[in-house]
Amino acid sequence: MGKNNFCFQHNFNKPTMPIDEAKFYELVKDPKWSEAINMYRTTGDASYKRKLPAFIFQATFDETVSKTGKSGTWRKQAATRLTGLVVMDIDHIDNPKAVFESWTIDDRILLVYITPSGKGLKVVFKAVPEEGNLIDNQHAMAKRLGVVVDEACKDASRMSFICKEDDILYISKELFTYENSEFGKRYDDDYRNGRSQGKANQTVKAIASPSHQESGFSDQSLSFKGVPYSYIISEYWKRNGGEPQEGERNVKLYQLAVQLRAICDNNPAQLLKVMPRLGLSEAEMTTIADSACKETPKGISKVMKEILDSANKEEKPAVPSINQQLEQWGTEIESMFDSFPVLRDACKGLKKSQYPAALFVAGGTMMTLMTRTWYRFYHRPENKRRLNCSLYIIGHPASNKSMADDISNILIAPIEAADKAGLVALNRYKQDTKKKAANKEGKDKPQGIIRIHPARTSNGQLIQDMINAKEIVDGEEMQLHMFTFDTELDNSITLQQGGSWINKQAMELKAFHNEKDGQMYQNADSPVDVFNVTWNYIYTGTPIALKKKVNEKNFGSGLSTRLAVIPMPTTNFEMLPYEDEANVDWERIARMKEWAYKLDKRAGQLPFTPLVKQIYDWTKDRMEECAEDNSEANELMLKRVAYHALNYAAPFIDMRHWDNMHQEGNYWKGTYEVDEIDWKLCELIARIQYTTQQYQFGAMAEKYFDDMNKDVQITGKRHYQKSAIGFAQLPEVFTADDVARCFGLSKEESIKKKIYRLTKDNQIELITEGGQKDMYRKLSNYLYS
């Protein structure tokens, strides 16, 4: 393959790679990328697009060293080698295929495909040096085809996200063999030094005046008082009949130029930098800019003032639906299957949007098996922190909540088997007490261990079994966890109103931190003792049942922050797949049970100190956002997220490092070093927990504090927090000044800290090359918690 052939990049963190015809088709045929494109078109969430690999048609790159010291063909401006191919983007098309079919394709065009949005076309064609550089060639081709070109494509290193094979409208085999060294010889140095402006018409440079140089105006700060010119122009078109069509472009562009000149210092050169071309040549645009600026200056017009005022008003931030978030989390979970194989088994046969529920159910059941383990937390590290699960899976009827029953039944098998002896002894005792002879003998109640309790369990029995279930681990007595699973949350609430379950809510609350409780009743059957509440429970139920359990009247109890409440997605009228006995994956069930029996004998301290430090920093960052938003509601919901993140991640992390375990007597013990893969899972669980709390209980939390503070009463509506509003207002590509404007920050330290947090959370990234170097781009449409 010649050195001038185009290349591709898997993602921003990897160097570019050469590409041939086979690799090209491997990428466009890959169902993984096709699914991501479909999700992007369905949800509008740009994070799906940004996960796609990308072609770089216009350049390849010399080997350089990255910031972390790794050698490779990194996509750096200074290492550019032009291929002689030109890329042209045509955006905002309702019917791209119809536009393509209206063209006459000549032998310069090598590839045309529909972009991932479904609303644009990508055209790759051969450059003609005599027409000028990349942007000059694009304008010339755009004129032939009668379209408007995206000016951003003047950057030689610009990425073109891949397409699906079905979206390729035209391709020539010459694409994979074409070379034009002459084009590179002529323009390589220009692009390496950042000179990508048009060469064929240099009149723009001639207009530049001393006042332009003194204004501080530059290609990297195309905004007026923090408001991007792209936003101003877009709003202007909306208020004036939309973007001009052929036959009215000259007149409407002139009218736009007259409006913009007051915020461009009445300077033609500045005006030309922000004006759209809409297919007009540079000579035509220069005439328009000159004419507009020759008119008598009148200051900012009423229309411009309205647009600028609207840009600075708080807007309701874009918020993804819970189904979109579940789908996104499911995609992240799927990416971890190779690192955490049991996670793959737990999710087998489910839709991606159901993966979060499967993760939590499996994690909650398996942490109960690991009852003999503990870790040290950053709050009161002198205490042993046990793995505690208080989980609700909430969905409408027939939303496949039964998958929780399936997962839990498989994994709880070791405890179920161990309980059999205790259950037999207890039933024998109950039968014997009916016999007068047995009563005279005064038989003692058996002390067998029973750990699984259905919802229909008396207080006395649960407490007695909690007291009985003890083992000596590392020389200390440990109370083992009880476990309750019920497929009907409503059932447990109904039972709570009567004798069998009454007053268990206090134990539900105390179970999260294994707090002390006690009992001193006069009746002979009730044990008199003090104990720690070691009780894990998982319920599935409907939104109506959840509302009965946690509502405005009892919100202050603290149950909501102790609960993990994972919603099930809507079914969208989809039938479950047809299955029969032949479809059963018996090997999956065997693998899950094998791990369950291993985890049931795991004992000792978990080496989680590095994760504890990372989750502390994660929480601290979000606590600063709570302070910025003055949100006591978010502060409340954030406080216990770290426990959930560590607890639910623990079994998966432990299994991943099982090679470091060894048997000591009846127990599995060992230590290991956690890494970034473990943190990735832990951090995902933290995000899911924080966001689902806000989704389920956010309005109640805000009303609770509003009522306490005698502030504005809000029922059923969320405040749109300053941080979410600020992020929504940020342009797709922005500067530190935009951050200051959108988030209302003035201190340089605060601006830097906000940018650092957004970067660290993969919400934004720094652009390190090209015409937008040192600016930032959004990686998500939404501010995910």
Side-chain angles (χ1 to χ4, degrees), residues 513-611:
H513 289 303
N514 307 133
E515 295 172 71
K516 279 192 175 180
D517 204 345
Q519 179 173 274
M520 287 192 176
Y521 292 147
Q522 283 189 327
N523 68 75
D525 290 331
S526 298
V528 176
D529 210 335
V530 175
F531 53 89
N532 294 96
V533 181
T534 47
W535 179 32
N536 288 349
Y537 51 88
I538 300 174
Y539 299 106
T540 66
T542 64
I544 294 173
L546 176 63
K547 194 169 184 179
K548 289 180 185 176
K549 190 70 177 178
V550 183
N551 50 56
E552 289 179 4
K553 291 181 180 179
N554 65 17
F555 182 79
S557 71
L559 181 60
S560 64
T561 59
R562 290 167 166 86
L563 291 174
V565 183
I566 309 301
M568 293 293 288
T570 54
T571 57
N572 294 323
F573 311 104
E574 295 174 9
M575 289 283 290
L576 291 170
Y578 177 81
E579 294 185 49
D580 55 26
E581 189 175 354
N583 298 116
V584 177
D585 187 346
W586 299 106
E587 291 182 0
R588 163 188 174 261
I589 295 172
R591 282 193 302 270
M592 292 174 73
K593 281 190 176 180
E594 182 182 354
W595 273 114
Y597 276 93
K598 287 180 178 178
L599 293 176
D600 186 48
K601 297 302 179 184
R602 176 75 167 98
Q605 182 170 341
L606 301 171
F608 280 5
T609 300
L611 291 179

Side-chain angles (χ1 to χ4, degrees), residues 133-150:
N133 66 1
L134 294 176
I135 193 64
D136 292 322
N137 271 268
Q138 288 170 44
H139 282 303
M141 180 61 75
K143 192 170 183 178
R144 286 190 198 93
L145 299 178
V147 295
V148 178
V149 67
D150 180 354

Side-chain angles (χ1 to χ4, degrees), residues 233-288:
I233 293 168
S234 173
E235 288 298 306
Y236 176 81
W237 292 138
K238 287 178 186 176
R239 295 161 192 247
N240 290 275
E243 198 169 288
Q245 303 301 309
E246 189 171 356
E248 59 183 10
R249 286 177 291 189
N250 277 282
V251 173
K252 287 202 171 184
L253 282 170
Y254 172 76
Q255 292 170 346
L256 173 63
V258 171
Q259 293 288 331
L260 291 174
R261 63 187 177 140
I263 56 175
C264 291
D265 291 343
N266 212 49
N267 185 315
Q270 294 183 21
L271 191 54
L272 276 167
K273 286 184 178 179
V274 302
M275 284 285 292
R277 270 46 177 175
L278 302 185
L280 270 62
S281 69
E282 289 301 304
E284 290 173 303
M285 291 304 303
T286 300
T287 300
I288 289 172

Side-chain angles (χ1 to χ4, degrees), residues 51-251:
K51 289 176 181 175
L52 297 171
F55 302 124
I56 302 96
F57 293 105
Q58 301 182 138
T60 58
F61 304 90
D62 291 338
E63 188 165 306
T64 53
V65 177
S66 71
K67 290 181 180 178
T68 57
K70 294 181 180 178
S71 294
T73 49
W74 298 99
R75 194 166 52 91
K76 292 185 177 182
Q77 178 178 297
T80 299
R81 283 190 180 277
L82 296 174
T83 62
L85 294 174
V86 186
V87 174
M88 185 169 70
D89 274 351
I90 306 151
D91 297 325
H92 313 301
I93 309 171
D94 288 333
N95 192 340
K97 193 171 183 181
V99 172
F100 164 75
E101 288 172 349
S102 70
W103 296 344
T104 300
I105 301 296
D106 61 35
D107 61 0
R108 284 183 63 190
I109 295 176
L110 302 178
L111 174 66
V112 183
Y113 66 80
I114 299 172
T115 58
S117 69
K119 298 289 185 179
L121 287 170
K122 190 84 65 175
V123 183
V124 183
F125 61 96
K126 295 183 279 189
V128 175
E130 290 72 30
E131 285 187 352
N133 66 1
L134 294 176
I135 193 64
D136 292 322
N137 271 268
Q138 288 170 44
H139 282 303
M141 180 61 75
K143 192 170 183 178
R144 286 190 198 93
L145 299 178
V147 295
V148 178
V149 67
D150 180 354
E151 292 281 327
C153 287
K154 69 182 182 181
D155 178 6
S157 62
R158 183 172 173 82
M159 297 169 66
S160 298
F161 290 108
I162 69 167
C163 63
K164 300 187 291 182
E165 185 181 24
D166 292 347
D167 287 334
I168 296 174
L169 303 178
Y170 175 82
I171 189 167
S172 166
K173 281 187 172 289
E174 192 180 358
L175 175 70
F176 305 106
T177 58
Y178 180 73
E179 292 184 64
N180 188 342
S181 57
E182 183 60 34
F183 191 78
K185 286 178 184 176
R186 185 177 295 194
Y187 294 115
D188 273 354
D189 287 343
D190 280 340
Y191 283 95
R192 286 175 178 242
N193 291 291
R195 298 190 295 269
S196 58
Q197 290 80 9
K199 299 293 178 182
N201 193 320
Q202 297 288 352
T203 54
V204 176
K205 286 189 178 180
I207 298 172
S209 64
S211 63
H212 160 59
Q213 300 299 332
E214 292 163 8
S215 70
F217 195 96
S218 74
D219 286 337
Q220 293 185 19
S221 57
L222 297 179
S223 61
F224 177 75
K225 293 187 176 180
V227 182
Y229 281 101
S230 58
Y231 172 85
I232 295 169
I233 293 168
S234 173
E235 288 298 306
Y236 176 81
W237 292 138
K238 287 178 186 176
R239 295 161 192 247
N240 290 275
E243 198 169 288
Q245 303 301 309
E246 189 171 356
E248 59 183 10
R249 286 177 291 189
N250 277 282
V251 173

